[in-house]
Amino acid sequence: EVQLVESGGGLVQPGRSLKLSCAASGFTFSNYYMAWVRQAPKKGLEWVATISTSGSRTYYPDSVKGRFTISRDNAKSSLYLQMNSLKSEDTATYYCARASPFTPVAYWGQGTLVTVSS
Amino acid sequence: DVVMTQTPVSLSVSLGNQASISCRSSQSLLHSDGNTYLSWYLQKPGQSPQLLIYLASNRFSGVSNRFSGSGSGTDFTLKISRVEPEDLGVYYCFQHTHLPYTFGAGTKLELK
């Protein structure tokens, strides 16, 4: 069974940094692209980042490009999201997601809440 | 960026009836490799989203055959036949043909 467990969320001041982690199990982590998707309170879904199996290729929307960095450690079956220069509009639940052969977001974790506020 | 427009915003249905949700993209989602990268998700209240449909019309593993996806180019539809209580929630379409990937704003399915 695919399991994705996020951690690292919390309250952070604007301009500060936070690093999210996602522990994966139930599948061969190194074989799959991974992604982060976020959801602001009472709002819709927004794709945040995708990383290739080796980590050599990463993709971001303009809203986070240059501030967020997705990375992975295949030896630890772990996915990360380093978030710098955080803004109030980054407040959201962040979901870790695993790809399937035909979609970059197939399996979802339970999410971790990030609140950016002074 | 590709804009995904879902209609209606909310939909009230009676149990056992059919529901239909539309998703239109501002650009064709037909990729140069011949695939159409359009997925549908359901987010039940208090839960993470779950994948229902990929490649516009393929049901994901374990998804009921009451869910069907159709469409091509810029116009897509998700149909739910014989609506059951566990189908209630917010439905999202998602395109990953073009970067950045984008979601529709969601359609809330409620009981009439």
Side-chain angles (χ1 to χ4, degrees):
Chain A
E1 179 193 3
V2 174
Q3 288 204 334
L4 302 167
V5 180
E6 303 92 337
S7 61
L11 175 62
V12 60
Q13 293 179 329
R16 303 298 289 265
S17 299
L18 197 65
K19 187 173 185 177
L20 305 183
S21 300
C22 171
S25 61
F27 62 99
T28 303
F29 182 75
S30 59
N31 287 351
Y32 293 92
Y33 276 51
M34 298 293 295
W36 289 96
V37 177
R38 69 183 179 183
Q39 185 171 35
K42 304 295 185 184
K43 299 295 185 182
L45 302 168
E46 181 185 14
W47 168 74
V48 171
T50 287
I51 189 167
S52 63
T53 52
S54 66
S56 61
R57 287 169 290 176
T58 57
Y59 310 90
Y60 308 91
D62 285 347
S63 58
V64 306
K65 194 177 294 183
R67 299 189 301 122
F68 288 13
T69 302
I70 187 172
S71 62
R72 65 192 296 161
D73 185 335
N74 286 342
K76 295 183 177 179
S77 296
S78 293
L79 179 72
Y80 306 100
L81 185 68
Q82 176 68 47
M83 304 184 293
N84 298 331
S85 304
L86 282 162
K87 307 174 182 180
S88 57
E89 52 262 43
D90 296 319
T91 294
T93 294
Y94 285 74
Y95 295 99
C96 167
R98 196 206 89 176
S100 73
F102 293 109
T103 179
V105 182
Y107 297 91
W108 301 66
Q110 86 288 350
T112 187
L113 178 62
V114 173
T115 302
V116 184
S117 173
S118 55
Chain B
D1 297 3
V2 177
V3 177
M4 305 296 287
T5 303
Q6 284 185 237
T7 54
V9 172
S10 64
L11 184 57
S12 295
V13 295
S14 300
L15 294 178
N17 284 4
Q18 177 174 280
S20 181
I21 300 170
S22 171
C23 178
R24 288 189 170 179
S25 57
S26 59
Q27 300 176 35
S28 174
L29 299 186
L30 178 62
H31 194 277
S32 56
D33 66 7
N35 287 318
T36 297
Y37 294 108
L38 187 283
S39 302
W40 288 96
Y41 301 86
L42 164 60
Q43 186 173 31
K44 299 180 182 181
Q47 296 186 19
S48 303
Q50 58 189 87
L51 176 64
L52 299 174
I53 302 287
Y54 63 93
L55 293 179
S57 61
N58 294 270
R59 273 188 300 275
F60 191 53
S61 174
V63 174
S64 169
N65 59 10
R66 295 184 299 99
F67 292 90
S68 63
S70 62
S72 62
T74 61
D75 290 331
F76 302 91
T77 301
L78 176 70
K79 290 186 178 178
I80 311 153
S81 62
R82 305 182 306 281
V83 168
E84 298 183 0
E86 58 263 33
D87 301 335
L88 304 182
V90 181
Y91 289 81
Y92 296 94
C93 58
F94 173 62
Q95 71 82 21
H96 51 103
T97 296
H98 305 284
L99 283 165
Y101 304 149
T102 47
F103 286 91
T107 294
K108 187 173 186 179
L109 185 64
E110 302 173 302
L111 271 182
K112 185 178 290 183

